[in-house]
Amino acid sequence: SSSAGGSASRTTSSTTSGTSTNTCTSSSTSTRTSTKATTTKATTTKATTKKATTTKKTTTTTNAQHISISTDTCTISNFDVSQPAGTPPGGVNFLSNNVAFTGACTAALNEFVITFPTALGVDSVYKCDGTVCYEFVPDADGTGASTPVDNGDGTSSISVFVMDNGRGDSNPTAGIVTDPLVLAFTGSSGSGAQ
């Protein structure tokens, strides 16, 4: 017997398409920008105060005995030598000549530098007001005479400070200074007259 059969064809198509896409993109970019604070120090400009420079004009006068006198506050009108009028104290010897000068001065206290052409070997300076003589030592008011200095070049010098109408000034007129000085030494030193 022949059996006509049918072809049963089962096609089971089970397509399971389960596509699970887990995309976990973790992009954490941490950018640290460290900006250093730049501290600009304030530049302090110190104001430079320029002191006014006062130029003192020193004038020098030389007499016939080659003794010179220098000052920056007076104009010398007379500078000479003469015999000391007074008598030296005991134990003190005067050089034979008295140094005297007169000047028109612009200051109250005035300095005079007197330079002698020889090394004198003296050790003190005296003033004679009339016949009364006294050593003209430095005083608290700035007046007085320095100890005579031998300069090492054959000359000697002294610095004398005289107050106008004060100690050392023999002239009563304001602005005019007159100062007679006597160089002295003790013992037998001293080089004699100038």
Side-chain angles (χ1 to χ4, degrees):
S1 87
S2 84
S3 171
S7 297
S9 179
R10 283 187 191 176
T11 303
T12 304
S13 177
S14 176
T15 305
T16 304
S17 178
T19 304
S20 176
T21 305
N22 287 333
T23 305
C24 183
T25 305
S26 179
S27 176
S28 176
T29 305
S30 177
T31 305
R32 290 186 183 178
T33 305
S34 177
T35 305
K36 290 185 178 178
T38 303
T39 304
T40 305
K41 290 184 179 179
T43 303
T44 304
T45 305
K46 290 184 179 179
T48 303
T49 305
K50 194 170 184 180
K51 291 182 179 179
T53 303
T54 304
T55 304
K56 291 183 178 181
K57 185 178 180 182
T58 301
T59 58
T60 301
T61 304
T62 303
N63 65 15
Q65 290 76 25
H66 306 290
I67 305 170
S68 65
I69 184 169
S70 299
T71 178
D72 55 20
T73 57
C74 303
T75 301
I76 301 298
S77 58
N78 182 53
F79 180 43
D80 211 344
V81 293
S82 61
Q83 292 296 320
T87 303
V92 176
N93 298 286
F94 286 167
L95 294 188
S96 60
N97 285 331
N98 185 40
V99 179
F101 58 87
T102 298
C105 302
T106 58
L109 183 63
N110 303 278
E111 180 184 11
F112 304 90
V113 178
I114 303 172
T115 303
F116 300 85
T118 59
L120 300 176
V122 298
D123 52 26
S124 56
V125 177
Y126 277 72
K127 281 185 60 62
C128 293
D129 292 334
T131 58
V132 179
C133 298
Y134 59 92
E135 189 174 359
F136 196 44
V137 295
D139 192 72
D141 64 359
T143 60
S146 66
T147 301
V149 175
D150 285 339
N151 297 320
D153 60 356
T155 66
S156 296
S157 62
I158 57 171
S159 293
V160 182
F161 294 86
V162 179
M163 186 75 70
D164 183 21
N165 283 353
R167 185 170 179 260
D169 184 12
S170 300
N171 193 313
T173 304
I176 304 296
V177 168
T178 297
D179 190 23
L181 299 171
V182 183
L183 298 176
F185 60 93
T186 54
S188 58
S189 60
S191 64
Q194 291 300 312

